[in-house]
Amino acid sequence: MQEEIFELIEGKKYARLRELLSDMNPADIAQILEDVPERELPVIFRILPKELAAEVFVEMDSEMQQLLIEAFSDTELREVMDELFMDDTVDIIDEMPATVAKRILSQTDAKTRKMINQLLAYPDDSAGSIMTTEYVDLKKNMTVDQAFDRIRNVGLDTETIYTCYVIDQSRHLLGIVTVKDLLLNEKSRVLSDIMDENIIYANTLDDKEEVAGQFEKYDLMALPVVDKESRLVGIVTVDDAIDVIQDEATEDIEKMAAILPSDKSYFRTGVFSTFKARIPWLMLLMISATFTGAIISSFEEKLTIFPALIAFIPMLMDTGGNSGSQSSVTIIRGISLGDIEFRDIFKVIWKEVRVALCCSTALAAVNFVKLWLVDYLLLHTFDPGKQIPEILVVCFTLLLTVIVAKFIGCVLPILAKRIGFDPAVMASPFITTIVDAISLFIYFRTAILILGI
Amino acid sequence: MQEEIFELIEGKKYARLRELLSDMNPADIAQILEDVPERELPVIFRILPKELAAEVFVEMDSEMQQLLIEAFSDTELREVMDELFMDDTVDIIDEMPATVAKRILSQTDAKTRKMINQLLAYPDDSAGSIMTTEYVDLKKNMTVDQAFDRIRNVGLDTETIYTCYVIDQSRHLLGIVTVKDLLLNEKSRVLSDIMDENIIYANTLDDKEEVAGQFEKYDLMALPVVDKESRLVGIVTVDDAIDVIQDEATEDIEKMAAILPSDKSYFRTGVFSTFKARIPWLMLLMISATFTGAIISSFEEKLTIFPALIAFIPMLMDTGGNSGSQSSVTIIRGISLGDIEFRDIFKVIWKEVRVALCCSTALAAVNFVKLWLVDYLLLHTFDPGKQIPEILVVCFTLLLTVIVAKFIGCVLPILAKRIGFDPAVMASPFITTIVDAISLFIYFRTAILILGI
């Protein structure tokens, strides 16, 4: 398929190309156009039927969009923009350099421009920033038949027709009517009798992640958004909610791995941008790890007396780090999904401490048996008279470290969230460093106590 | 709200309770019922209007469902089951102990039972396991008006009416018609003229994660599923696709944090289950960390000559681990989202190597400056004559470790995926251990080389 298209482009067989592309899905066309040479792009774009062209345009990444806009005449630009839904227009303008954005705005009428500027003003993470302003609004005294007439009139230009919004004269939201309701009711019934007044809605400034969560919880197709005066100003559709869910998951994963989140896909991010996203945490964590080094330094002389203790440092640090991140990651995800809130903190601690007791006992026991069986009975590298105290130190440290690591791992994200920080940022990258320092501290204190050094 | 409901339950004011609950959303009612004492649950459930009761039932977790089923008479059980969509019924049966499942099946008619058993047979991660069998099917010679009649007839019992499927006599999928198409066309037009024949569909055995990806890519509301003979057997709706997207993200996050994935929420998983999900990786990683210990042991004597080298071990291990997991996590997410495939491996390596060069240079430089400025000029804990070689060892190790860590971090997930392993499992938890061992090896080799020990 892809090869055939490239051959047609090569051979400039545009009539056949148009025919072929017209049957394809916008998302697939946009994907194919990514591999087309830049100078060919405007030509191929122009042969697409007008409506399809706009749909393909929306699916493109912002670099390709900018390239096309710069190649467009004013008329072409206006034609494409006229076909777009408001939320897509705003997204595109948001990504463009100021001059390009200005040119786009200059091609829209005053009313649209005002609307766009209003939408652009909503904070990036708000419901307002992902909503669209094209929806079907109805009046409560309309009949089912009248409602269908209105849907037929405005439906082509709205993002969804299946959920319609019943509003009063000041645009206050009164109820919701679905096309299913309309189809299953008598044509003469009045909307106020059949509309659902138990509405799930969002405010323009609500967090978009929470809004996406509502789609999941209530299995919604669309969600109305109201302003401070409870007037309907837009709707969020399920496709945008899915994008938010995916983006937020990616963002959480990036933060947990000590990366500054980016909103572009892997290959779209340049080497320098990737570097900039990764180096701040690497730097911070490297510097904070020198404190762990300081703990070792202060214990240096004693370590030269018991050099065998050095070999256990990586195992204790890693096991502590892994135990801590297991807890923190579980809790962070639970917070993201709305399963865990601040009031659950003691419930969480109680659970994590019991899990930690099981884990640490099992780990310490296996470690003890391993040292005894393998190192002593099998390899004979182990001198029971001298080293049993050392092994006790290691096992006891393991026991304590895992418990402390899991405690910190579960408490830190919840506290971070409570004081308004992002749990994924505040908790996850730091866990390893904090747990490293603590596990070494426990290790050396235990050594001093048991070995009497 | 919640308190008022609890008071009504306490006071057994069931008439008012029914009134209040009837206006609420099923998901909210299910959430409130979670906190109701178990013995009250069947009573409250019985006062709900029949249809709402079934909707609430679907939203409950499996423990509550089982409790209710055990309290139901056969008639009640049949009534609830009759209201459920096929995919929900199958999900519920899948979660129940064998005896309860058998009882549910005995309350369904032979045809439904056959269908349920067919759906239960699909693998857990397949499109077949999340599809429902209730949809609107149409014939291609129907008119728009006839199509509306059919929708009115069967629509109440289907999960969505908005996308309808045009099939032939052997149930082969010919095209798709949306209610929007139907509303915007003349009543006398024939479906074969207006249906969309360019269909995005899945096969029953397709991976459900890929199916969910199609919803995201093509902004779908529902996706038809066909069997090996290309006959339409069901549809996946967008709400189920969202659940898959969330579950897969949670699963990836858990795997990256060395936890065996579970499909229950945090508080629904018992202490022992949580322990079982966490201990295997902790154990494996603890044991593999002893190899790192062995590397240190083999270098023990030399470390007692240059004890200052010990203090840098945590910093080098952590920085290596962080660098590696930044890469692996980015690549694993890219693979999940379909951005990165095996054929991109050299593109990925080339990018990661350049990023690694930038990162490692910056880190080594900062480390050098820090040791020089702070430790030498400020703290005077640094003896240039003796320790400059040591610092060179540390900086050079840092340089090399970060590059190797990022290389391994990007290659391992892609290779794991290629040979059919889960990238998130195979790559992420192991990265730290592998990088630890490698960074220590580099550290000691460099020390031997530069310090001449």
Side-chain angles (χ1 to χ4, degrees), chain B residues 137-148 164-166 176-177 182 188-197:
Chain B
D137 49 3
L138 303 171
K139 304 279 176 223
K140 67 172 176 174
N141 51 359
M142 282 180 171
T143 62
V144 168
D145 233 14
Q146 286 169 328
F148 272 128
C164 305
Y165 301 91
V166 182
I176 283 178
V177 176
L182 293 175
S188 57
R189 285 201 74 177
V190 177
L191 297 192
S192 55
D193 292 344
I194 58 171
M195 70 185 184
D196 186 358
E197 289 166 81

Side-chain angles (χ1 to χ4, degrees), chain A residues 23 25 28 31 152 180 183 198 217-218 246 250 258 266 269 278 318 326 333 351-352 436, chain B residues 23 28 31 152 162 180 183 198 217-218 246 250 258 266 269 274 278 318 326 333 351-352 436:
Chain A
D23 278 341
N25 196 291
D28 292 325
Q31 207 169 12
R152 285 197 185 91
K180 189 170 181 175
L183 279 174
N198 168 27
K217 183 171 178 190
Y218 299 112
Q246 281 288 36
T250 304
Y266 182 69
T269 323
R278 293 186 187 176
D318 282 353
Q326 283 185 335
R333 184 67 183 161
K351 183 172 171 189
E352 287 297 319
D436 279 356
Chain B
D23 278 341
D28 293 326
Q31 206 169 12
R152 284 195 185 92
Y162 301 128
K180 189 171 181 175
L183 280 174
N198 169 26
K217 182 172 178 191
Y218 299 111
Q246 282 287 36
T250 304
Y266 183 70
T269 322
T274 306
R278 293 185 186 177
D318 282 351
Q326 283 185 336
R333 185 66 182 160
K351 183 172 172 189
E352 287 297 319
D436 279 357

Side-chain angles (χ1 to χ4, degrees), chain A residues 42-145:
Chain A
V43 185
I44 297 163
F45 193 78
R46 282 187 186 113
I47 65 170
L48 294 174
K50 216 177 284 181
E51 202 183 326
L52 181 63
E55 284 168 10
V56 171
F57 189 76
V58 171
E59 298 287 338
M60 289 175 168
D61 63 75
S62 54
E63 283 158 52
M64 284 169 73
Q65 286 170 340
Q66 190 181 337
L67 205 107
L68 277 175
I69 293 174
E70 281 161 0
F72 283 161
S73 71
D74 283 352
T75 323
E76 281 177 319
L77 180 57
R78 197 159 50 235
E79 275 173 3
V80 170
M81 288 298 145
D82 278 351
E83 293 282 341
L84 298 185
F85 289 121
M86 195 58 85
D87 57 342
D88 294 324
T89 312
V90 171
D91 283 349
I92 290 166
I93 293 176
D94 216 13
E95 293 282 318
M96 292 295 138
T99 50
V100 180
K102 222 168 147 185
R103 189 169 157 234
I104 299 176
L105 282 173
S106 73
Q107 293 306 315
T108 56
D109 57 78
K111 201 183 140 201
T112 313
R113 194 152 57 237
K114 198 181 152 204
M115 181 75 81
I116 291 173
N117 280 321
Q118 254 173 28
L119 290 175
L120 279 171
Y122 290 115
D124 254 0
D125 57 353
S126 68
S129 75
I130 53 166
M131 74 184 184
T132 189
T133 52
E134 290 112 336
Y135 50 85
V136 182
D137 50 1
L138 304 170
K139 303 280 175 222
K140 67 171 177 176
N141 52 1
M142 281 180 172
T143 62
V144 168
D145 233 13

Side-chain angles (χ1 to χ4, degrees), chain A residues 364-418:
Chain A
V366 167
N367 202 44
F368 188 83
V369 170
K370 184 247 161 197
L371 288 173
W372 189 265
L373 279 188
V374 182
D375 296 8
Y376 172 48
L377 294 177
L378 206 69
L379 301 178
H380 306 290
T381 56
F382 177 81
D383 169 3
K386 194 186 145 202
Q387 286 190 292
I388 279 201
E390 284 181 17
I391 291 193
L392 283 180
V393 170
V394 171
C395 291
F396 185 75
T397 306
L398 202 56
L399 211 68
L400 215 59
T401 301
V402 171
I403 294 171
V404 173
K406 287 214 173 284
F407 178 79
I408 295 175
C410 76
V411 168
L412 223 57
I414 300 181
L415 290 184
K417 170 85 181 176
R418 179 62 171 188

Side-chain angles (χ1 to χ4, degrees), chain B residues 142-420:
Chain B
M142 282 180 171
T143 62
V144 168
D145 233 14
Q146 286 169 328
F148 272 128
D149 284 343
R150 175 146 178 91
I151 292 173
R152 284 195 185 92
N153 277 334
V154 300
L156 208 58
D157 297 322
T158 64
E159 201 160 332
T160 181
I161 60 162
Y162 301 128
T163 315
C164 305
Y165 301 91
V166 182
I167 53 174
D168 67 13
Q169 262 137 5
S170 353
R171 304 199 68 80
H172 291 119
L173 186 58
L174 303 176
I176 283 178
V177 176
T178 65
V179 166
K180 189 171 181 175
D181 298 331
L182 293 175
L183 280 174
L184 299 177
N185 272 290
E186 290 296 318
K187 289 179 182 176
S188 57
R189 285 201 74 177
V190 177
L191 297 192
S192 55
D193 292 344
I194 58 171
M195 70 185 184
D196 186 358
E197 289 166 81
N198 169 26
I199 312 165
I200 294 152
Y201 64 91
N203 288 297
T204 46
L205 296 179
D206 283 356
D207 188 271
K208 67 180 179 186
E209 198 175 351
E210 274 165 36
V211 172
Q214 306 269 298
F215 278 82
E216 203 195 346
K217 182 172 178 191
Y218 299 111
D219 293 348
L220 303 173
M221 293 291 183
L223 180 87
V225 182
V226 301
D227 65 11
K228 268 181 251 162
E229 283 82 35
S230 300
R231 286 173 310 206
L232 182 65
V233 287
I235 62 168
V236 175
T237 49
V238 67
D239 52 313
D240 296 316
I242 291 181
D243 290 343
V244 170
I245 288 173
Q246 282 287 36
D247 289 348
E248 297 291 337
T250 304
E251 227 180 278
D252 271 3
I253 290 174
E254 286 175 334
K255 288 175 193 162
M256 286 175 192
I259 306 171
L260 301 182
S262 80
D263 50 4
K264 287 188 180 173
S265 70
Y266 183 70
F267 289 119
R268 293 276 146 219
T269 322
V271 168
F272 191 64
S273 305
T274 306
F275 165 70
K276 277 195 297 181
R278 293 185 186 177
I279 196 69
W281 275 107
L282 281 185
M283 203 62 92
L284 193 63
L285 294 174
M286 179 183 80
I287 292 169
S288 59
T290 57
F291 292 106
T292 325
I295 296 179
I296 295 188
S297 289
S298 69
F299 200 75
E300 216 170 81
E301 278 171 44
K302 284 159 187 160
L303 277 177
T304 49
I305 310 175
F306 285 92
L309 289 181
I310 305 171
F312 293 103
I313 290 179
M315 188 270 280
L316 292 172
M317 273 173 48
D318 282 351
T319 307
N322 287 328
S323 303
S325 70
Q326 283 185 336
S327 299
S328 67
V329 161
T330 308
I331 302 302
I332 291 165
R333 185 66 182 160
I335 293 174
S336 280
L337 294 178
D339 290 340
I340 297 172
E341 285 169 57
F342 181 70
R343 63 184 168 90
D344 299 320
I345 188 163
F346 293 111
K347 230 166 118 189
V348 169
I349 292 175
W350 173 228
K351 183 172 172 189
E352 287 297 319
V353 166
R354 283 178 296 163
V355 173
L357 275 173
C358 298
C359 287
S360 61
T361 313
L363 291 169
V366 165
N367 202 45
F368 189 84
V369 169
K370 184 248 163 196
L371 287 174
W372 189 265
L373 279 188
V374 182
D375 295 9
Y376 173 49
L377 294 177
L378 206 70
L379 301 178
H380 305 290
T381 56
F382 178 81
D383 171 1
K386 193 185 143 203
Q387 286 189 292
I388 276 199
E390 283 180 17
I391 290 191
L392 282 180
V393 170
V394 171
C395 290
F396 184 77
T397 305
L398 201 55
L399 210 68
L400 215 59
T401 301
V402 171
I403 295 171
V404 172
K406 287 213 174 283
F407 178 79
I408 295 175
C410 75
V411 168
L412 224 57
I414 300 181
L415 289 184
K417 170 85 180 175
R418 178 64 172 185
I419 55 173

Side-chain angles (χ1 to χ4, degrees), chain B residues 62-63 65-66 69 91-98 100-101 104:
Chain B
S62 53
E63 282 159 52
Q65 286 170 341
Q66 189 181 338
I69 292 174
D91 283 350
I92 290 166
I93 292 177
D94 216 12
E95 293 282 317
M96 293 295 138
V100 180
I104 298 176

